Amino acid sequence: MIYKEMNVEAAYEKAGADHGKYQPRLFGYMYSDSEELKMSGKRPAVIICPGGAYQFKSDREAEPVAMRFLAAGMQAFVLQYSAAPSRYPCAVLELATSVAMVREHAREWGIDPEKIFICGFSAGGHLCASLGTLWKDEIFTQVFGTENLNYKPSGMILCYPVITMGEFTHKESRANLTGTDGSTELSEKLSLEKQVTADTLPTFIWHTQEDNAVPVENTLLFTCALRKYRVPFELHIYEKGGHGLSLCDETTAGNQDQIVPDNAGWIDHAVRWLKRF
């Protein structure tokens, strides 16, 4: 296996973003090429964005998840992105830059450049959905140019994501991302259910109806918008379980409540969805 740690050098100044002093990092977990492994040279890649209310990044939603995607035959990456006091668009520029990095090194790292996916949990889900819905926004053309789409992912996996900045938002995530209470033009822009178009990325999404931190309405609002614009999606809503379940088993459980066997199959469903591309 190849392990890499890389700085992510986003061009914040081109988008007028003030990111402070934090250095975002991309951690890669990759198979070495082998003639005995039929997928060598053309594996899908998944870039994982842990949750943490845009305040921190959860270890429970980082490397253990990468290991599952790696075990499924994919090259896996974890992005440690900027959080508060950095504001929008710092983190999404870092994610876009990470996608471009992975695509630019696709041959070297044994990756199919047409199969680069992003996977986010909670606030990390909002981060992924921001790139997945806003990838045509002028902040990206300012940074990457109008002809370069290397930063555009192939699809996204959203795990109990923060989506809206409105009634059903996670207020801490909104405050850390925007620095406001939600009554701003920026909060309207970052209510991602309102930004879905026919150009939004294909989506796999799951949530639990018992989630009291990030209500399931976030996912319902988003998938209704995907349906309206005929964007392909796969949706799983589980009955039991609170917020932050990660893999839903002993691997990532911080307490007994985070072990929910009936939900643990989400990652197998996500892998099968991804392999259909």
Side-chain angles (χ1 to χ4, degrees), residues 111-272:
I111 292 168
D112 184 339
E114 301 303 316
K115 296 181 180 180
I116 299 174
F117 298 84
I118 52 179
C119 173
F121 295 79
S122 191
H126 185 273
L127 172 56
C128 290
S130 295
L131 182 57
T133 57
L134 299 173
W135 62 269
K136 283 189 168 182
D137 191 89
E138 64 180 2
I139 63 167
F140 299 110
T141 57
Q142 288 167 359
V143 171
F144 297 98
T146 56
E147 303 300 323
N148 179 7
L149 291 180
N150 274 356
Y151 65 89
K152 180 188 173 186
S154 306
M156 54 185 173
I157 298 168
L158 306 180
C159 310
Y160 41 88
V162 177
I163 292 293
T164 186
M165 298 287 110
E167 177 184 359
F168 298 105
T169 193
H170 182 250
K171 292 181 181 179
E172 185 180 359
S173 295
R174 182 178 65 193
N176 287 328
L177 180 62
T178 69
T180 74
D181 63 359
S183 56
T184 66
E185 183 177 340
L186 178 58
S187 292
E188 184 76 5
K189 177 178 181 177
L190 296 179
S191 287
L192 301 176
E193 77 279 11
K194 300 178 181 180
Q195 307 306 325
V196 172
T197 70
D199 293 320
T200 297
L201 301 182
T203 302
F204 178 97
I205 188 167
W206 73 276
H207 217 125
T208 71
Q209 67 92 22
E210 289 186 338
D211 192 331
N212 290 323
V214 177
V216 71
E217 280 84 355
N218 282 263
T219 284
L220 295 174
L221 289 167
F222 194 68
T223 50
C224 283
L226 295 175
R227 175 65 175 168
K228 176 180 177 180
Y229 287 97
R230 301 186 180 278
V231 177
F233 70 91
E234 182 171 326
L235 166 65
H236 296 262
I237 296 177
Y238 298 97
E239 179 185 4
K240 298 296 183 180
H243 191 65
L245 294 178
S246 188
L247 294 172
C248 305
D249 63 17
E250 294 86 349
T251 309
T252 57
N255 56 61
Q256 191 65 31
D257 290 342
Q258 292 169 343
I259 300 175
V260 189
D262 288 344
N263 304 4
W266 76 262
I267 194 162
D268 296 323
H269 290 300
V271 166
R272 288 195 290 271

Side-chain angles (χ1 to χ4, degrees), residues 39-59:
M39 291 179 66
S40 285
K42 296 291 281 186
R43 296 182 184 276
V46 181
I47 301 172
I48 298 156
C49 297
Y54 283 111
Q55 179 66 46
F56 68 99
K57 277 81 65 180
S58 170
D59 291 338

